[in-house]
Amino acid sequence: MNRMHALSLAAILTASACASAPAVGSSDGAANAVAGEQVVAVRLANALADAADAEARGDTKTLAKAVQMIDASGPHPLEASPSDPLPAWRDAARGEATPPYRGRPLGPGYRSGKLGVGGRESFSQLFLSGTGATIALSAPTGDKLALRVLDPQLKPICTDESGRGGLCKWVPLFTQRYTIEVMNRGVGDARYFLVVQ
C-alpha cells in the first residue's frame, strides 16, 4: 500500500468516525437510560413467557428463576384482572425461590391474555410527551403473534409481525393515548404477555 493510498484510507476512516459521533450537546446518559428501559421491558416480557412455559412443564426451579426476574423488575398489572398469573406463580415457586433482588420502585406494566385463531385484542394506554415508550410482546410455546401501535388518528406508529414476540419503541411528540393491538397469526390458540414501559 503506497503512502497516498494509506492517507486516503485514514481520512475516510476518520470521517466515518466523526459522522457516527453524537452531536454536541447530546446526552449519552439519557440515551443509555432509554436503552436500559427498553431492555427491562423485553427482559420482563421474556420472563413472563418463560414462567408460563415452566408452569406448563411443572418445572418449579425454572419457574422460581423467572418469577425472581419478574419481581426484580417491579412490575404492576396494567389493569385489575382475575386472570393475572403472577400471584399463582409466586405461590408455586415459593419453596424454590432464592433470596430476592431489590426491585425498582416503579416498574413496567404488564398484561396477559389469550387469543383464538385469528383473534385480536386492543386497548389504549397513555404515553407522555418526550418520554421514550417501549412495548414488548412475548408468547410461550412459540405462538405466532403480531403487535401494532396506533396513534389517536389510528395511524400506525409501529408494527411488528416477527412472530413469537414483538417490540415497538418510539418517543411520543404529545401526551396522548395510543391504541395497542395484539393479533394471533398462528393456527391455534395463543397466550401472550405484553409489557408497557
Side-chain angles (χ1 to χ4, degrees):
M1 180 184 297
N2 65 34
R3 180 176 165 77
M4 185 60 79
H5 185 67
L7 288 173
S8 297
L9 182 59
I12 290 168
L13 292 174
T14 303
S16 298
C18 291
S20 63
V24 174
S26 70
S27 172
D28 287 342
N32 290 339
V34 169
E37 294 299 316
Q38 293 164 356
V39 169
V40 169
V42 172
R43 187 183 312 134
L44 177 57
N46 289 336
L48 288 161
D50 290 345
D53 279 341
E55 178 189 40
R57 293 190 318 269
D59 182 350
T60 56
K61 287 189 178 187
T62 302
L63 178 60
K65 288 179 184 176
V67 167
Q68 185 179 32
M69 185 173 291
I70 292 165
D71 285 340
S73 300
H76 61 277
L78 290 173
E79 63 220 9
S81 171
S83 65
D84 179 9
L86 192 51
W89 290 343
R90 285 184 183 124
D91 287 343
R94 196 175 310 275
E96 300 287 347
T98 56
Y101 294 119
R102 291 183 63 82
R104 300 165 60 234
L106 291 175
Y110 66 91
R111 171 188 176 106
S112 65
K114 291 183 182 177
L115 294 170
V117 177
R120 172 190 310 250
E121 279 188 0
S122 65
F123 64 99
S124 65
Q125 183 72 32
L126 182 71
F127 291 93
L128 302 179
S129 169
T131 302
T134 301
I135 299 173
L137 178 68
S138 67
T141 65
D143 293 335
K144 187 168 175 58
L145 300 171
L147 173 66
R148 188 163 71 153
V149 180
L150 307 170
D151 71 8
Q153 291 73 42
L154 301 182
K155 176 185 169 190
I157 296 295
C158 174
T159 301
D160 189 330
E161 298 262 359
S162 60
R164 184 174 188 260
L167 178 64
C168 284
K169 304 179 287 186
W170 79 103
V171 177
L173 294 177
F174 306 101
T175 296
Q176 56 191 358
R177 290 193 167 272
Y178 289 80
T179 300
I180 302 168
E181 293 184 340
V182 180
M183 296 151 280
N184 182 357
R185 300 291 198 224
V187 295
D189 292 349
R191 185 176 186 185
Y192 73 84
F193 297 95
L194 184 132
V195 174
V196 175
Q197 178 76 21

